[in-house]
Amino acid sequence: MTANPTNTANPGGSPDDSPGAPSGGSPGSPPGEERIAAVRRRTLTVLSTAQISGGIGVAVGLTFSSVTMEELSGSTALSGLAGTAVVLGAALLALPTARSSGKGGRRAGLALAYGCALLGCLVSLLAVGLGSWPLLLAGLLMFGAASAGGLASRYAATDLSPPGHAARHLSLVVWATTIGSVAGPNLAEPAERFSAGLGLSAGSGPFALALLGFAISLGIIVIALRPDPLLLARAALPAPVASPASGPSGSPENPEKGQGTFRTAWRVLRGTPVAGRALVAIAVSHTAMVSVMSMTPVHLDHGGSTYTVIGVVISLHIAGMYVLSPVIGWLADRVGRIPVLVLGMGLLLTACVLAGGAGAHDVTRVTVGLVLLGLGWSCGLISGSAMLSEAVPLEHRAPVQGLSDLLMNVCGATGTVIAGVIVGTLSYGVLAATVAVMVTVTGAWLALTHARARARV
């Protein structure tokens, strides 16, 4: 099998990123099929391993940040800002991560994301020690960079994917997040006891654990993601015919400029309707999931649930997000992207009905709803991301993927702000009903556009 790249640029690579040549080939010649297949397997292993430790950090921080914010601020409405800050941080780092990937490869982009997340953990620990909720918001903003890194990793898994396999390869990296994400919330109390033994303030445990997880992920990416999959994919392409806009080698004179700008990404996205539909599906799925999930710990806390109970509920929700990812990826490759996206919207609708209709003491019903919420998100993320990647040429893929993550997380951040206000002034049930309307409309639109497209064939 071969990759399906569409650009020959190879900017900024280190000697370890040199594509080399297949056995018997000349140095500097395009990498052969065996070389690409070997690097593809290695890349999937490295990305999956980094996702495990990174998943611990993201899950434990996101789970307990809203509770910590409520304790520091004394306001339920302000507690929603914690999830907003994390999601907004992921949005703000999406384009810088994509720009770094476009210029220096995936390793550069992911290292930037996890480095910022490490700094966010340190600021959050300081905020808890000082009892300052505004400082905690600043720390959570940088903390969100880890989510940007995790999202970018799924796209890195598709750089060397042959046609028809993007969803499956992407889903393997998404699935690896299961281990860390399920374990993370349940490690919060042991981490809290350990941090207390070190003399840290109460509530520091989750952020101390996240700090360790992000440091491990950063080390794995920097040391082991070699050769870089994006740089190798570009090198695997045949050289284009020279044109007046090209340099002597036939490549664009300034490839990095087009690969890392918002304007170029937006132009490509607007000119590709399939990619636009994929982006809408991803954004809606993520907004629905983040809005409901971020306020569920507060809802359960009002019912008297302990940290342990909340941790179990969120762990099962995260299992729903990730554990069936390979199955969803296979399904998206076999039956098509749009059918799986519509299925995801249906699962999100069902989740809202179950969780939204449950009281704060009905932990079982909330848990079932949260598991379905995770499954619906997985359908939207995996099928939508594969659809987006396949619709865009390789030379524009990194910035368009970054723009997709930016818009997805901006929508998610907006959703969590509204979610906090709705739960604080009305109820958790009203929040679920609002989200249910949004996913129903989106699912109907996707089904209608799919039916029209098939009718034209």
Side-chain angles (χ1 to χ4, degrees):
M1 295 187 299
T2 60
N4 187 31
T6 55
N7 184 39
T8 59
N10 184 22
S14 67
D16 292 300
D17 293 319
S18 177
S23 179
S26 61
S29 63
E33 296 180 12
E34 293 183 4
R35 167 71 165 167
I36 291 175
V39 174
R40 182 190 306 130
R41 290 190 295 269
R42 175 180 173 84
T43 297
L44 291 174
T45 300
V46 171
L47 292 173
S48 298
T49 304
Q51 286 288 84
I52 294 174
S53 55
I56 291 177
V58 172
V60 72
L62 191 59
T63 299
F64 294 103
S65 61
S66 60
V67 176
T68 303
M69 175 61 68
E70 185 175 36
E71 291 175 349
L72 294 182
S73 67
S75 169
T76 299
L78 288 178
S79 67
L81 292 179
T84 301
V86 174
V87 176
L88 184 58
L92 292 176
L93 261 293
L95 283 182
T97 298
R99 185 176 296 111
S100 294
S101 296
K103 291 182 177 180
R106 296 293 185 182
R107 187 173 64 253
L110 295 177
L112 172 65
Y114 283 117
C116 289
L118 279 173
L119 181 59
C121 288
L122 292 173
V123 174
S124 297
L125 286 170
L126 179 62
V128 173
L130 297 176
S132 171
W133 67 263
L135 186 60
L136 178 61
L137 280 180
L140 292 174
L141 196 67
M142 291 180 284
F143 183 100
S147 294
L151 291 171
S153 292
R154 82 191 191 277
Y155 284 129
T158 68
D159 288 334
L160 298 173
S161 295
H165 289 72
R168 273 170 278 191
H169 289 166
L170 185 152
S171 68
L172 292 176
V173 174
V174 173
W175 177 86
T177 312
T178 306
I179 301 173
S181 296
V182 172
N186 295 292
L187 293 174
E189 288 195 9
E192 182 69 17
R193 291 194 295 269
F194 180 74
S195 63
L198 296 177
L200 298 177
S201 302
S204 299
F207 298 109
L209 180 61
L211 177 69
L212 176 61
F214 296 155
I216 293 173
S217 294
L218 177 61
I220 292 172
I221 292 297
V222 171
I223 295 171
L225 193 60
R226 301 171 184 269
D228 192 282
L230 183 57
L231 301 184
L232 183 64
R234 291 172 178 169
L237 290 165
V241 178
S243 68
S246 303
S249 65
S251 61
E253 292 183 355
N254 189 8
E256 291 89 347
K257 183 177 180 181
Q259 292 160 4
T261 62
F262 177 92
R263 181 178 300 176
T264 298
W266 185 253
R267 174 176 53 80
V268 173
L269 191 61
R270 290 183 62 188
T272 313
V274 173
R277 287 194 291 271
L279 188 150
V280 170
I282 294 170
V284 169
S285 298
H286 190 68
T287 302
M289 185 277 293
V290 172
S291 298
V292 176
M293 186 274 289
S294 66
M295 297 310 299
T296 297
V298 175
H299 179 62
L300 294 176
D301 184 61
H302 289 170
S305 296
T306 65
Y307 269 23
T308 299
V309 171
I310 295 173
V312 169
V313 173
I314 297 301
S315 292
L316 292 174
H317 161 69
I318 294 172
M321 291 171 64
Y322 299 117
V323 75
L324 292 181
S325 295
V327 176
I328 293 172
W330 173 85
L331 192 64
D333 282 338
R334 290 297 299 270
V335 306
R337 314 302 189 212
I338 294 295
V340 173
L341 290 176
V342 174
L343 171 64
M345 296 300 160
L347 290 171
L348 291 170
L349 172 61
T350 305
C352 290
V353 172
L354 287 175
H361 299 281
D362 194 348
V363 177
T364 300
R365 184 168 174 177
V366 171
T367 301
V368 174
L370 266 286
V371 170
L372 293 178
L373 187 76
L375 284 172
W377 174 87
S378 187
C379 289
L381 184 79
I382 292 173
S383 188
S385 298
M387 183 174 168
L388 178 72
S389 295
E390 292 173 337
V392 177
L394 185 63
E395 67 266 25
H396 299 303
R397 197 169 291 171
V400 170
Q401 290 165 343
L403 178 59
S404 170
D405 285 345
L406 168 64
L407 296 178
M408 175 185 77
N409 283 298
V410 166
C411 290
T414 303
T416 55
V417 170
I418 298 173
V421 174
I422 290 176
V423 173
T425 58
L426 297 172
S427 70
Y428 182 77
V430 173
L431 168 65
T434 303
V435 173
V437 172
M438 177 180 67
V439 299
T440 300
V441 171
T442 304
W445 173 68
L446 288 170
L448 180 61
T449 56
H450 182 60
R452 288 176 175 174
R454 294 187 64 181
R456 288 195 296 266
V457 175

